[in-house]
Amino acid sequence: MIKAGIVGATGYTGSELLRILVQHPHVDLAVVTSRSENGMAVAEMFPNLRSYTDICFSEPEASALTDCDVVFFATPHGVAQSMMAEFAGKGVKIIDLSADFRLQDREVWELWYQRTHACPELIESAVYGLPEVNRERITSADLIACPGCYPTAIQLGLLPVLEQGLVDTSRLIADAKSGVSGAGRAANIGALLPECADSFKAYGVSGHRHSPEITQGLSLMAQKSVSITFVPHLVPMIRGIEATLYAELLDPSTPLEDIQTLYEARFRDEPFVDVMPLGSLPDTRSVKGSNYCRIALHRQPESNTLIVVSVIDNLVKGASGQAVQNMNLMFGLDEAAGLLQVPLMP
Amino acid sequence: MIKAGIVGATGYTGSELLRILVQHPHVDLAVVTSRSENGMAVAEMFPNLRSYTDICFSEPEASALTDCDVVFFATPHGVAQSMMAEFAGKGVKIIDLSADFRLQDREVWELWYQRTHACPELIESAVYGLPEVNRERITSADLIACPGCYPTAIQLGLLPVLEQGLVDTSRLIADAKSGVSGAGRAANIGALLPECADSFKAYGVSGHRHSPEITQGLSLMAQKSVSITFVPHLVPMIRGIEATLYAELLDPSTPLEDIQTLYEARFRDEPFVDVMPLGSLPDTRSVKGSNYCRIALHRQPESNTLIVVSVIDNLVKGASGQAVQNMNLMFGLDEAAGLLQVPLMP
Amino acid sequence: MIKAGIVGATGYTGSELLRILVQHPHVDLAVVTSRSENGMAVAEMFPNLRSYTDICFSEPEASALTDCDVVFFATPHGVAQSMMAEFAGKGVKIIDLSADFRLQDREVWELWYQRTHACPELIESAVYGLPEVNRERITSADLIACPGCYPTAIQLGLLPVLEQGLVDTSRLIADAKSGVSGAGRAANIGALLPECADSFKAYGVSGHRHSPEITQGLSLMAQKSVSITFVPHLVPMIRGIEATLYAELLDPSTPLEDIQTLYEARFRDEPFVDVMPLGSLPDTRSVKGSNYCRIALHRQPESNTLIVVSVIDNLVKGASGQAVQNMNLMFGLDEAAGLLQVPLMP
Amino acid sequence: MIKAGIVGATGYTGSELLRILVQHPHVDLAVVTSRSENGMAVAEMFPNLRSYTDICFSEPEASALTDCDVVFFATPHGVAQSMMAEFAGKGVKIIDLSADFRLQDREVWELWYQRTHACPELIESAVYGLPEVNRERITSADLIACPGCYPTAIQLGLLPVLEQGLVDTSRLIADAKSGVSGAGRAANIGALLPECADSFKAYGVSGHRHSPEITQGLSLMAQKSVSITFVPHLVPMIRGIEATLYAELLDPSTPLEDIQTLYEARFRDEPFVDVMPLGSLPDTRSVKGSNYCRIALHRQPESNTLIVVSVIDNLVKGASGQAVQNMNLMFGLDEAAGLLQVPLMP
């Protein structure tokens, strides 16, 4: 059994890690930290876990954490990087769900997060945890930077055409929509039900922190600099991300069927990417609670714009499920272990 | 492996049976019928099942169904009773999720459903599938009448005090609330999102079909005739039932702690009834997607009214999960097999 | 024109007052205070008001407020009572939407709110602003204590049978449900959309601050001490309260039609109470954004329990609309002035 | 008083017309037709109208309708065009909310609606009822083709830059999102709350009926052929449309402030278009129940893509409110008469 710890388990990605790990066949949940809730039973805060675990929140002490085989950071940005020193040489695998090690360019990180990076020496060795791109490197990594939720949906949606150089990389557009859990389990007025239910809006339109991560990932796929306009929106729902992606085909005569074939081939062996039949309209509920990314391709009459629709559960494939998928790879387990719950629908 | 069939799998209880059974370790899903969708892949209608099953809907033919070890009826009332003759002597266990065999008094059934019962000869041998009450009889039953969703939440909430004769059985009140999936997957204007979102209402206030089932069950527990006022309400949510139950204590000096102790003792060995600590406020999301019933007890100052709050997922413990729990009992399996998914929260 | 001020306009009852008053034909909105947002245009925080008003939030200074003809307090409890001294002898009518002056018994107030009352000398002269009961006294009042949202729905629903002594006042039950705006526009995790959407729960089951207000009002109607069990619930919607009320008829032979006639007669001249035809099922959306209370009566077969369903918009008839109705009465205006917007449906 | 009739008032645009017209100061609602509900009081179906009107649904008879000064068609496509002959020479102004007369090219209409146009002779004289573009022609029109909901939000959002020729008209993108009321008040499974609540999806991705209307309108503004990719999405909310519009600036050196100035100037005298300050993030609730279109402009660093966010209430500015705005213009009334309700927020 793998001994696992979670730092910062009172947020949504933390509680989702709990949901997955308490039923994972190869994991023994050893430490769950929360400074504010020290001593409280985890199942008291999250009653869905009653009867599944008796573990209590504890202070984030290094000694308990360094006894683990793997530690997940489900913390706001800045926390993981500030605690890395305590794990040095201890042989603990680290899976960071925050943005701390996602950007390879330290200056870009410091620009967007408006602070000095506390652990720049680990940036280079951190592996970006998108298994569909980096599976081999993940297997042997010591530190995983888990992708953000929007970046996951967008990168998977564009991966095959960028790898093959089929679209104009200077004018990509990602119009993405997220449920409110993406804002985190923090008391802010904008996420109150009366503020965001029965309403819809764009946010971060002039620039969003996930943009550099998206650009970095797409550029690596395309092996050239990519320019993308990314606009996130807030949907009055709990979970789910949908990204509608627009890319101009360099060769307008390419039949959509060929691109469909390309996508199916590229993702054939991927356990969690589902290329749906041409003409499909994936809804976010079809992945609710699951680690799947579902993708569908479209093209309108007399248009050379490829439209890709990509949906994930922001808390699973967009965060905690992907983190566990990474863990499975790092420990040589079945990549899908603990991740096969059927999406909840309706 | 148990060979299972589902009649009428295009509704919500049917699709929920599919969700549970495709991952059940001891079940081989052999037949899934739908007259209207004959030939369509089940996963085409319910994309959450993509990669979990390749089965297609088929015509409800007796030959295929009688080859099964167990057949679930997830059909509107009237269908199961009209098909029972085809199963006579075939040794197939039947689990009916509809109301066809729930009422032991045929006349009451015919009054509320306004039709002649098509199979009255099986009413007496049908076992009411509430494991917390009828576990032994379920084990050896051939025909199970699965309880309704409201009746499950209400009966479990009142069971210990009725068995012990602690409350006034002449003035029970059940104020119950259900998500919209309780109305079924049928095109009716009242269940459209613009008609019931961001709104709340009582319905069936002057009388509801579940009333005689509730009265029958409670009377059996109390071993005397029980009178209950039951008012259902429609909540703008997908799943979940909450019942707030009011019962007057015959002995006002009884401490609430004693009743708490009684509840905990009565349900100690029940795998799916969770008596929460005194003062708890169970929300329906704490059982979302799961087979649990969570119960909490309350009493207000200077009042001799016991208040019981009981929550279930109407599609799981209120329908398909309970049906599978019955199946597990009938076939000597672990009662919780296939039913241990952690509730999805948030 | 009546010169009006609002203290504490950044909450939901405050913003709802703004919505009503900017279109009121006889009101000039002169002062809108908010300590935290001093200087910000009201329409910047509440863009629905763009083009309707240019007013800015200002500090709650006594001088500006005492220049008004009427001042509304849309503040948390404790604020209005602490500012009353500044208005002494200034001839300003005060309409308090908080709980500060609702309870005639100071000790009960101090027990439930756990603080010493800051202005006990005004408790007796404060008029409880339920026009259907206190219209005459409101007309000449200087200080109005606006009823709470739950108390409004419940009192209007039971008024006729209590006045006439037709029901058992020792065992009334009010099972009430509210939209999340009832929790106020304050950052608390429990009111986040991911915490309360697609879920339902009871709260305050062991006792709620609105209970003494309800008991006080019902006892005055019945002219005897009344005992009621009140349980509030949280509905995943923005606005609306529904109360399902259970009362045992003292004379079981009373036809429901007679009670219907009684209700229609009692409320015939009330501009904002709508007694719907027998058998109606009022939903909260039928009063969304409006000052109406809609009421329907029911009785189940072989039962002597009268069931009353009462719905209001918690922010309008349950708060700001009722406050303006009071203002209209105090200033001799048409009681419905500014309050006749058609409910928004769907 | 203007004598008005509504054909097909049981749908959402019909009931919204009722909501507006029962309070319109210059309208006498004379006829409200519904074949299926003939004889029923309108307020029985729509209880929000109780006390506002006593009118009953009647059969759609020509004689009653031709007595009106104006008749609104809130009907599915095909109905208005088939009834036009009955109004010939009767001097009745017709305002059609359906798609029957929106497209000037009959063949395009017949292609998308798959039927022969029943009244092609009136297509040319029908005036497209977008007041911000066609105010003068509307004033003297006899037949108005009210714009669709998506086309209204998109055309208003792009109008100034297209008129001025500032953007690349060959690669416009409109990623638009609508509440479920846009699907109409018809029983279809896809619009059930359990099917579309807590979920999000794109639909009509490969082509949608509103596309030719959008292209026609934009091309007229630009005075050249325009190519736009339009993708609609379904939001789990009742009302509201948000369109996020992407247009490449022909001159990348144009400051966003200049475009802001252009928008403000173009819409300065428009009573229902609100150009918000730079950086604003309009949400659909800020126009709920109102006739406003709110617009905000954005541009991301190092990008020459202009991003326009445009929000309307699909049932008001996107349908019935705009219809009444047209009526006001046709009859020489204040253009905003009956349309000044403050949006409902929260």
Side-chain angles (χ1 to χ4, degrees):
Chain A
M1 296 293 275
I2 298 164
K3 208 171 159 184
I6 303 175
V7 181
T10 60
Y12 289 135
T13 57
S15 69
E16 192 71 357
L17 273 173
L18 286 165
R19 182 179 72 88
I20 296 169
L21 293 179
V22 296
Q23 287 220 310
H24 195 291
H26 307 302
V27 168
D28 172 25
L29 195 58
V31 191
V32 177
T33 82
S34 163
R35 193 157 269 127
S36 58
E37 309 298 343
N38 181 25
M40 179 194 271
V42 160
E44 188 179 334
M45 175 169 282
F46 303 117
N48 60 324
L49 300 177
R50 284 175 62 87
S51 85
Y52 293 96
T53 181
D54 293 325
I55 202 168
C56 292
F57 292 111
S58 57
E59 288 277 350
E61 286 166 19
S63 59
L65 291 167
T66 53
D67 268 3
C68 292
D69 299 308
V70 63
V71 169
F72 295 88
F73 280 86
T75 43
H77 59 266
V79 176
Q81 55 185 227
S82 71
M83 288 180 68
M84 282 302 102
E86 305 182 22
F87 292 92
K90 298 283 171 38
V92 184
K93 303 276 191 182
I94 303 292
I95 300 178
D96 178 22
L97 284 78
S98 84
D100 276 11
F101 295 96
R102 288 180 194 156
L103 299 184
Q104 284 295 307
D105 186 330
R106 170 189 174 173
E107 286 179 26
V108 174
W109 191 92
E110 295 184 340
L111 177 70
W112 281 89
Y113 291 90
Q114 291 290 305
R115 58 165 72 195
T116 304
H117 200 288
C119 188
E121 64 275 19
L122 289 185
I123 290 178
E124 197 179 339
S125 65
V127 174
Y128 189 68
L130 193 62
E132 293 77 7
V133 172
N134 285 336
R135 183 167 285 106
E136 284 313 306
R137 295 182 57 215
I138 291 166
T139 306
S140 57
D142 293 318
L143 169 58
I144 293 288
C146 265
C149 48
Y150 285 123
T152 297
I154 293 168
Q155 289 177 86
L156 292 177
L158 291 174
L159 176 58
V161 281
L162 287 180
E163 281 181 345
Q164 299 301 319
L166 300 184
V167 296
D168 183 345
T169 55
S170 72
R171 47 171 52 101
L172 298 170
I173 288 178
D175 192 289
K177 302 89 179 177
S178 173
V180 186
S181 63
R185 191 166 170 274
N188 76 79
I189 285 179
L192 295 178
L193 184 140
E195 297 293 312
C196 53
D198 208 38
S199 191
F200 184 88
K201 69 167 178 181
Y203 67 98
V205 187
S206 296
H208 184 277
R209 281 175 175 173
H210 279 177
S211 283
E213 180 186 347
I214 294 166
T215 304
Q216 169 184 284
L218 299 184
S219 297
L220 286 166
M221 292 170 186
Q223 294 187 280
K224 61 195 275 198
S225 178
V226 155
S227 174
I228 183 165
T229 299
F230 161 58
V231 178
H233 299 74
L234 191 66
V235 184
M237 64 181 182
I238 299 172
R239 291 165 175 253
I241 278 184
E242 191 262 7
T244 304
L245 308 166
Y246 303 88
E248 286 187 30
L249 292 167
L250 292 175
D251 176 0
S253 70
T254 316
L256 186 59
E257 288 71 16
D258 287 10
I259 303 179
Q260 175 78 11
T261 302
L262 166 68
Y263 271 68
E264 291 176 358
R266 178 58 180 84
F267 292 124
R268 179 161 298 126
D269 298 328
E270 287 300 334
F272 293 116
V273 181
D274 174 23
V275 180
M276 299 181 75
L278 267 182
S280 294
L281 298 170
D283 47 5
T284 61
R285 67 182 187 137
S286 74
V287 296
K288 194 185 289 183
S290 95
N291 201 46
Y292 280 98
C293 174
R294 297 198 204 277
I295 291 173
L297 307 181
H298 290 267
R299 190 172 174 186
Q300 300 185 348
E302 294 169 66
S303 163
N304 65 342
T305 299
L306 172 69
I307 306 172
V308 184
V309 175
S310 168
V311 298
I312 61 170
D313 184 322
N314 57 310
L315 297 181
V316 191
K317 184 62 176 170
S320 307
Q322 188 147 267
V324 173
Q325 187 180 357
N326 275 280
M327 181 198 75
N328 289 342
L329 288 168
M330 294 163 91
F331 288 87
L333 307 173
D334 175 355
E335 187 172 341
L339 292 171
L340 287 175
Q341 279 181 292
V342 183
L344 199 61
M345 194 179 116
Chain B
M1 296 293 275
I2 297 163
K3 208 170 159 185
I6 302 175
V7 182
T10 59
Y12 289 136
T13 57
S15 68
E16 193 70 356
L17 273 173
L18 286 165
R19 181 178 73 88
I20 296 169
L21 293 179
V22 295
Q23 287 221 311
H24 195 289
H26 307 301
V27 168
D28 172 26
L29 196 56
V31 191
V32 177
T33 81
S34 164
R35 193 157 269 125
S36 58
E37 309 298 344
N38 181 25
M40 178 194 272
V42 160
E44 188 179 336
M45 174 169 284
F46 302 118
N48 61 324
L49 300 176
R50 285 175 62 88
S51 85
Y52 293 96
T53 182
D54 294 326
I55 202 168
C56 293
F57 292 110
S58 58
E59 289 275 351
E61 284 168 20
S63 58
L65 291 167
T66 53
D67 267 2
C68 293
D69 299 308
V70 62
V71 169
F72 295 88
F73 280 86
T75 43
H77 60 265
V79 176
Q81 56 185 225
S82 72
M83 287 180 68
M84 282 302 102
E86 305 182 24
F87 292 92
K90 298 282 172 37
V92 184
K93 303 275 191 183
I94 303 291
I95 300 178
D96 178 23
L97 284 78
S98 84
D100 277 11
F101 295 97
R102 289 181 195 156
L103 299 184
Q104 285 295 308
D105 186 330
R106 168 187 175 174
E107 285 179 27
V108 175
W109 192 92
E110 295 184 339
L111 177 68
W112 282 89
Y113 291 89
Q114 291 289 308
R115 58 164 72 193
T116 304
H117 200 289
C119 187
E121 64 276 17
L122 289 185
I123 291 178
E124 198 180 340
S125 65
V127 174
Y128 188 68
L130 193 62
E132 292 77 7
V133 173
N134 286 336
R135 183 167 286 106
E136 284 313 306
R137 294 183 57 216
I138 291 166
T139 306
S140 57
D142 293 317
L143 168 59
I144 294 288
C146 265
C149 48
Y150 285 122
T152 295
I154 293 167
Q155 289 176 86
L156 293 177
L158 291 173
L159 175 59
V161 282
L162 288 180
E163 282 182 344
Q164 299 300 321
L166 300 183
V167 296
D168 183 344
T169 55
S170 73
R171 45 170 54 101
L172 299 169
I173 288 179
D175 192 290
K177 302 87 178 178
S178 173
V180 185
S181 63
R185 192 167 169 276
N188 76 79
I189 284 178
L192 296 179
L193 184 141
E195 297 293 311
C196 52
D198 208 38
S199 191
F200 183 87
K201 71 167 178 181
Y203 66 98
V205 187
S206 296
H208 184 278
R209 280 174 176 173
H210 280 176
S211 282
E213 179 186 347
I214 294 165
T215 304
Q216 169 185 283
L218 299 183
S219 297
L220 286 166
M221 292 171 187
Q223 294 187 280
K224 63 195 275 197
S225 178
V226 155
S227 175
I228 185 165
T229 298
F230 161 59
V231 177
H233 300 73
L234 190 67
V235 184
M237 63 182 181
I238 300 172
R239 292 164 175 253
I241 278 183
E242 190 262 9
T244 303
L245 308 166
Y246 304 88
E248 287 187 29
L249 292 166
L250 292 176
D251 177 359
S253 70
T254 315
L256 186 58
E257 288 72 14
D258 287 10
I259 302 178
Q260 175 77 11
T261 303
L262 167 67
Y263 271 69
E264 291 176 359
R266 178 58 179 85
F267 292 124
R268 180 161 298 127
D269 299 328
E270 287 301 334
F272 293 115
V273 181
D274 174 23
V275 180
M276 298 181 77
L278 267 182
S280 294
L281 299 169
D283 46 6
T284 60
R285 67 183 185 136
S286 74
V287 296
K288 194 185 289 183
S290 96
N291 201 46
Y292 280 98
C293 174
R294 297 199 205 275
I295 290 174
L297 307 181
H298 290 266
R299 190 172 173 184
Q300 300 185 348
E302 295 169 64
S303 164
N304 66 344
T305 299
L306 172 69
I307 306 172
V308 185
V309 175
S310 169
V311 298
I312 60 169
D313 184 321
N314 58 308
L315 297 180
V316 191
K317 185 61 176 171
S320 307
Q322 187 147 265
V324 172
Q325 187 180 358
N326 275 279
M327 181 198 76
N328 289 341
L329 288 168
M330 294 163 91
F331 288 87
L333 307 173
D334 175 355
E335 187 171 341
L339 292 171
L340 287 175
Q341 278 181 296
V342 183
L344 198 61
M345 194 179 116
Chain C
M1 296 293 274
I2 297 164
K3 209 169 159 186
I6 303 175
V7 182
T10 60
Y12 288 136
T13 57
S15 69
E16 192 71 356
L17 272 173
L18 286 166
R19 182 179 71 88
I20 296 169
L21 292 180
V22 296
Q23 287 220 310
H24 195 290
H26 307 302
V27 168
D28 172 27
L29 197 57
V31 191
V32 177
T33 81
S34 164
R35 192 157 271 127
S36 59
E37 309 299 344
N38 181 25
M40 179 194 270
V42 160
E44 188 178 335
M45 175 169 282
F46 302 117
N48 61 324
L49 299 177
R50 284 174 62 87
S51 85
Y52 292 97
T53 181
D54 293 326
I55 203 168
C56 292
F57 292 111
S58 57
E59 289 276 350
E61 285 167 22
S63 58
L65 291 167
T66 53
D67 268 2
C68 293
D69 300 308
V70 61
V71 169
F72 296 87
F73 280 86
T75 44
H77 61 265
V79 176
Q81 56 185 226
S82 72
M83 287 179 69
M84 281 302 102
E86 305 183 23
F87 291 92
K90 297 284 173 35
V92 183
K93 303 275 191 183
I94 303 291
I95 301 178
D96 178 23
L97 283 78
S98 85
D100 276 11
F101 295 98
R102 288 180 195 156
L103 300 184
Q104 284 295 307
D105 187 330
R106 169 187 174 175
E107 286 179 25
V108 175
W109 193 91
E110 295 183 340
L111 178 69
W112 282 90
Y113 291 89
Q114 291 288 306
R115 59 164 71 192
T116 305
H117 200 288
C119 188
E121 63 275 17
L122 289 185
I123 291 179
E124 199 179 337
S125 64
V127 174
Y128 188 68
L130 194 61
E132 292 76 8
V133 173
N134 285 337
R135 183 167 285 108
E136 284 312 307
R137 295 183 57 215
I138 291 166
T139 306
S140 57
D142 292 318
L143 169 57
I144 293 289
C146 264
C149 48
Y150 285 123
T152 296
I154 293 167
Q155 289 176 86
L156 293 177
L158 291 174
L159 176 59
V161 282
L162 288 181
E163 281 181 344
Q164 298 300 320
L166 300 184
V167 296
D168 183 345
T169 55
S170 72
R171 47 170 53 101
L172 299 169
I173 288 178
D175 191 290
K177 302 90 177 176
S178 173
V180 185
S181 63
R185 191 164 170 275
N188 77 77
I189 285 179
L192 295 178
L193 184 141
E195 296 294 311
C196 52
D198 208 38
S199 191
F200 183 89
K201 71 167 177 180
Y203 67 99
V205 187
S206 297
H208 184 278
R209 281 176 176 172
H210 279 176
S211 283
E213 180 187 347
I214 294 166
T215 305
Q216 169 184 285
L218 300 183
S219 297
L220 285 167
M221 291 170 188
Q223 294 186 281
K224 62 194 275 198
S225 179
V226 155
S227 175
I228 184 164
T229 299
F230 162 59
V231 177
H233 300 74
L234 190 66
V235 184
M237 64 182 179
I238 299 172
R239 291 165 176 252
I241 278 183
E242 191 262 9
T244 304
L245 309 166
Y246 303 88
E248 287 188 29
L249 292 167
L250 293 175
D251 177 0
S253 71
T254 316
L256 186 58
E257 288 72 14
D258 287 10
I259 302 178
Q260 174 79 12
T261 302
L262 167 66
Y263 271 68
E264 291 176 358
R266 178 60 180 83
F267 292 124
R268 179 160 300 126
D269 298 328
E270 287 301 334
F272 293 116
V273 181
D274 174 24
V275 180
M276 299 181 77
L278 268 181
S280 294
L281 299 169
D283 46 7
T284 60
R285 67 182 185 137
S286 74
V287 296
K288 194 184 290 181
S290 96
N291 202 46
Y292 280 98
C293 174
R294 297 197 205 277
I295 291 174
L297 307 180
H298 290 267
R299 191 173 172 183
Q300 299 185 348
E302 294 170 64
S303 164
N304 65 343
T305 299
L306 172 68
I307 306 171
V308 184
V309 175
S310 168
V311 298
I312 61 169
D313 184 320
N314 58 309
L315 296 181
V316 191
K317 184 62 177 170
S320 307
Q322 187 146 265
V324 172
Q325 186 181 358
N326 275 279
M327 181 198 74
N328 289 342
L329 287 168
M330 295 164 91
F331 288 87
L333 307 173
D334 175 355
E335 188 171 342
L339 293 170
L340 288 175
Q341 279 181 292
V342 184
L344 199 61
M345 195 179 117
Chain D
M1 297 294 275
I2 297 163
K3 209 170 160 186
I6 302 174
V7 182
T10 60
Y12 289 136
T13 56
S15 68
E16 193 70 356
L17 273 173
L18 286 165
R19 183 179 72 89
I20 296 169
L21 292 180
V22 295
Q23 288 220 311
H24 195 291
H26 307 302
V27 168
D28 172 26
L29 197 56
V31 190
V32 177
T33 81
S34 163
R35 192 157 270 126
S36 58
E37 308 299 342
N38 181 24
M40 179 194 271
V42 160
E44 188 178 337
M45 175 169 282
F46 303 117
N48 61 324
L49 300 176
R50 284 175 61 87
S51 86
Y52 293 96
T53 181
D54 293 326
I55 203 169
C56 292
F57 293 111
S58 57
E59 289 275 351
E61 284 167 20
S63 58
L65 291 167
T66 53
D67 268 2
C68 293
D69 299 308
V70 61
V71 169
F72 295 88
F73 280 85
T75 43
H77 60 266
V79 176
Q81 56 185 226
S82 72
M83 286 179 70
M84 282 301 102
E86 304 182 24
F87 291 92
K90 297 282 173 36
V92 184
K93 304 275 190 182
I94 302 291
I95 300 178
D96 177 23
L97 284 80
S98 84
D100 276 12
F101 296 97
R102 289 181 194 156
L103 300 183
Q104 284 296 309
D105 186 329
R106 169 187 174 173
E107 285 179 26
V108 174
W109 192 92
E110 295 183 340
L111 177 69
W112 282 90
Y113 291 89
Q114 291 289 306
R115 57 164 73 192
T116 304
H117 200 289
C119 187
E121 64 276 18
L122 289 185
I123 291 178
E124 198 180 340
S125 64
V127 173
Y128 188 67
L130 193 61
E132 292 77 7
V133 173
N134 286 335
R135 184 167 284 107
E136 285 311 308
R137 295 183 56 214
I138 291 167
T139 306
S140 57
D142 292 318
L143 168 58
I144 294 288
C146 264
C149 48
Y150 284 122
T152 295
I154 293 167
Q155 289 176 86
L156 292 177
L158 291 174
L159 174 59
V161 282
L162 288 180
E163 281 181 345
Q164 299 300 320
L166 300 183
V167 296
D168 182 344
T169 55
S170 72
R171 45 169 55 101
L172 298 170
I173 288 179
D175 192 289
K177 303 88 178 176
S178 173
V180 185
S181 63
R185 192 165 170 274
N188 76 79
I189 284 178
L192 294 179
L193 185 141
E195 297 293 312
C196 52
D198 208 39
S199 191
F200 183 88
K201 70 167 178 180
Y203 66 98
V205 187
S206 296
H208 185 277
R209 281 176 176 172
H210 279 177
S211 282
E213 180 187 347
I214 294 166
T215 304
Q216 168 185 285
L218 299 184
S219 297
L220 286 166
M221 292 171 189
Q223 294 186 280
K224 62 196 273 199
S225 179
V226 155
S227 174
I228 184 164
T229 299
F230 162 60
V231 177
H233 300 73
L234 191 67
V235 184
M237 64 181 180
I238 300 172
R239 291 164 176 255
I241 279 184
E242 191 262 9
T244 303
L245 308 167
Y246 303 88
E248 288 187 28
L249 291 167
L250 292 176
D251 176 1
S253 70
T254 315
L256 186 58
E257 288 72 16
D258 286 10
I259 303 179
Q260 175 78 11
T261 302
L262 167 68
Y263 271 67
E264 291 176 359
R266 178 59 180 84
F267 291 125
R268 180 160 299 128
D269 298 328
E270 287 300 335
F272 293 115
V273 181
D274 174 24
V275 180
M276 299 181 78
L278 268 182
S280 293
L281 299 169
D283 47 5
T284 61
R285 67 183 186 136
S286 74
V287 296
K288 196 185 287 182
S290 95
N291 202 46
Y292 280 98
C293 174
R294 296 197 206 277
I295 291 174
L297 306 181
H298 290 267
R299 189 172 172 184
Q300 300 185 348
E302 294 170 65
S303 163
N304 64 343
T305 299
L306 173 69
I307 306 172
V308 184
V309 175
S310 168
V311 298
I312 60 169
D313 184 321
N314 59 308
L315 297 181
V316 191
K317 185 62 177 169
S320 307
Q322 188 147 265
V324 172
Q325 186 180 357
N326 275 280
M327 180 198 75
N328 289 342
L329 288 168
M330 295 164 91
F331 287 87
L333 307 173
D334 175 357
E335 186 170 342
L339 293 171
L340 287 175
Q341 280 180 294
V342 184
L344 199 61
M345 193 178 119

